[in-house]
Amino acid sequence: MDDPQIASSLTTGSSVEITGKLADSPGREQSKEVQATSIRVIGPSDPGSYPLQKKRHSLEFLREIGHLRPRSQTISAITRLRDSAEMALHAFFHKNEFVRIHTPTLTSNDCEGGGETFNVTAPANENPGGFFGRKVNLTVSGQLHLEVFTGAFKRVYTLNPAFRAEPSQTGRHLSEFWMVEGECAFVDKVSTLLDVEEEMVRSTTQYLSKNAASDLDFFLKNNEKLTQLIKRLTSPEQYARISYTDAINILQQADARAKFVYKPQWGHGLQSEHERYLATTHFNGPVFVTDYPAAIKPFYMLPNPDGRTVACMDLLVPGPCELLGGSLRDHDYGRLKGRVESLGYEDGSLDWYVNLRKFGTTPHGGFGMGFERYLQMITGLESVRDIISFPRYTGKCQY
């Protein structure tokens, strides 16, 4: 080197420019090393205050230094996997003739009807109805807007941010997250949607196994359960498929030994402990649950002939539990209009959506998958807060 003494002044976190020869390394932890002939410090790092040291840091600690945590092995591996997964999803949709739609972030509707939306306000202005002349919120889903485009394109999708004002502190929820959503026209069977969703998950995971193997292996190392899950996700064998009614029967039969906090009952939603039992214990892999009771699902889902359930599904997996959800959409104008009115939606706020059924509608359906939950599943991490670059949740919007 030009100045061998410079090596002693290098500190963790510094940015350096190294000139030398790339050679095989005798070390066990790396295959190559640089035999330096010169080193130049470009950006020094204060060793007294730099928080990342040459040791293992907890993910909780790394969340507190979000502006520096991308430099850690775990977060950098997640970031590369996130990039590769997005590329894989776009490749899947384009291969299957989906057209990408940029759905709006600002919207005047609450797709899920849960009321857990962030309202948008602006500085005072002369318009008595506010900046937009009506109540506007951040989107919780692009589904309704995607349905608009199924009147022009057979298959459409979006990968956009979504927002939910849910005061949850669990590792499964964020206030700002990314959603992968697809809608398909001329679909009249739930099984058709299941096939699309399953192949989306399978092909994306196969892509990562092939093109991001080193980063995926970082999480699979010494984790046999996760390794087996990846094998199951990429296997050509069909994912398990059961009805909600069958799921309740399985859970009720298991209750004596599983000792659920919430007793499984028909007509009630599945709790996290129920979903976890089905995916992790009973099926030990992905499982679709279909045909939930109409009373616990959103207004837009297509009623089944039995009059009690709707044509819908959730995909449950080990880890995040519910990975994606979807349904056939009610395409009957009169029935959907009556449903919207009975739920007390603001007068006329969903007329545009209901009116789609008057002008050349088709049987159609769609789904939405939480992008962070998918990455949580394949990495085995406990919290989605470690999956997204800058997590926002109750009490936390630091950067």
Side-chain angles (χ1 to χ4, degrees):
M1 292 188 300
D2 296 335
D3 183 6
Q5 295 300 317
I6 197 173
S8 62
S9 65
L10 295 176
T11 57
T12 301
S14 299
S15 297
V16 299
E17 180 183 88
I18 301 175
T19 302
K21 179 182 178 181
L22 185 65
D24 292 334
S25 174
R28 292 186 302 172
E29 299 298 323
Q30 59 190 31
S31 61
K32 300 291 183 180
E33 67 180 22
V34 175
Q35 297 174 353
T37 57
S38 68
I39 299 177
R40 183 166 70 95
V41 176
I42 296 175
S45 177
D46 178 14
S49 59
Y50 186 65
L52 288 172
Q53 300 301 319
K54 293 181 180 180
K55 64 178 183 178
R56 183 179 296 276
H57 294 289
S58 71
L59 293 172
E60 291 77 11
F61 170 75
L62 292 176
R63 286 181 216 141
E64 297 303 315
I65 52 170
H67 58 305
L68 295 173
R69 73 173 187 165
R71 305 182 187 190
S72 68
Q73 276 190 302
T74 301
I75 302 303
S76 61
I78 290 170
T79 303
R80 287 188 295 268
L81 280 174
R82 187 181 181 100
D83 176 61
S84 295
E86 182 170 345
M87 292 176 64
L89 285 165
H90 288 309
F92 165 80
F93 284 119
H94 290 158
K95 178 182 177 181
N96 289 279
E97 300 181 337
F98 283 76
V99 176
R100 185 180 185 183
I101 307 299
H102 294 118
T103 53
T105 297
L106 300 178
T107 179
S108 59
N109 66 73
D110 173 7
C111 176
E112 298 299 321
E116 297 169 336
T117 60
F118 287 101
N119 296 329
V120 176
T121 59
N125 58 76
E126 297 179 359
N127 189 338
F131 186 88
F132 293 101
R134 66 187 311 159
K135 179 182 175 182
V136 170
N137 47 264
L138 298 180
T139 183
V140 298
S141 169
Q143 176 205 318
L144 304 190
H145 299 98
L146 282 182
E147 286 191 58
V148 170
F149 280 86
T150 59
F153 302 94
K154 186 177 180 180
R155 296 178 174 182
V156 294
Y157 81 103
T158 187
L159 175 53
N160 273 4
F163 307 85
R164 188 161 296 176
E166 184 176 7
S168 173
Q169 290 290 350
T170 74
R172 299 171 59 223
H173 296 92
L174 291 166
S175 297
E176 179 185 17
F177 51 98
W178 286 73
M179 285 287 290
V180 183
E181 299 179 84
E183 289 289 325
C184 304
F186 302 100
V187 172
D188 58 5
K189 295 180 181 178
V190 168
S191 60
T192 302
L193 279 182
L194 299 185
D195 291 341
V196 174
E197 295 160 354
E198 181 174 323
E199 188 54 32
M200 177 186 70
V201 174
R202 178 182 290 112
S203 67
T204 301
T205 311
Q206 288 173 337
Y207 181 96
L208 295 180
S209 298
K210 179 180 179 181
N211 297 285
S214 59
D215 288 317
L216 190 57
D217 288 345
F218 177 83
F219 296 99
L220 298 183
K221 187 178 181 180
N222 300 322
N223 191 331
E224 183 60 27
K225 287 186 177 180
L226 188 58
T227 300
Q228 292 304 314
L229 174 60
I230 297 299
K231 289 181 179 179
R232 179 66 188 93
L233 292 171
T234 56
S235 167
E237 180 184 353
Q238 187 180 81
Y239 298 173
R241 301 179 179 188
I242 60 171
S243 69
Y244 165 89
T245 299
D246 289 339
I248 291 296
N249 291 335
I250 291 171
L251 293 168
Q252 288 177 339
Q253 292 172 14
D255 189 29
R257 58 181 181 278
K259 294 181 170 47
F260 297 120
V261 175
Y262 297 94
K263 301 302 179 185
Q265 298 181 52
W266 202 98
H268 292 224
L270 297 181
Q271 300 294 322
S272 296
E273 59 178 339
H274 303 149
E275 296 173 341
R276 188 175 301 109
Y277 178 86
L278 290 169
T280 304
T281 303
H282 189 84
F283 289 99
N284 192 28
V287 51
F288 283 105
V289 180
T290 65
D291 305 308
Y292 284 72
I296 62 173
K297 287 296 182 179
F299 70 93
Y300 51 73
M301 294 188 175
L302 181 69
N304 281 324
D306 61 16
R308 305 173 67 209
T309 63
V310 287
C312 67
M313 85 295 293
D314 286 340
L315 176 58
L316 309 181
V317 295
C321 298
E322 181 188 339
L323 178 62
L324 62 79
S327 74
L328 298 182
R329 317 310 191 189
D330 195 347
H331 53 277
D332 182 278
Y333 172 76
R335 185 170 56 209
L336 184 61
K337 181 176 175 61
R339 178 68 172 152
V340 168
E341 292 174 348
S342 70
L343 291 174
Y345 278 86
E346 181 183 347
D347 184 35
S349 64
L350 285 175
D351 281 356
W352 62 273
Y353 176 71
V354 175
N355 284 347
L356 293 173
R357 277 67 179 166
K358 293 172 63 177
F359 307 115
T361 189
T362 68
H364 62 285
F367 57 88
M369 179 179 77
F371 188 46
E372 284 78 22
R373 286 196 180 185
Y374 170 77
L375 292 164
Q376 182 186 15
M377 172 186 68
I378 65 169
T379 59
L381 294 181
E382 293 185 3
S383 177
V384 289
R385 297 172 185 175
D386 303 315
I387 302 296
I388 197 167
S389 301
F390 298 98
R392 277 77 167 95
Y393 50 93
T394 306
K396 199 72 170 183
C397 187
Q398 186 173 352
Y399 302 99

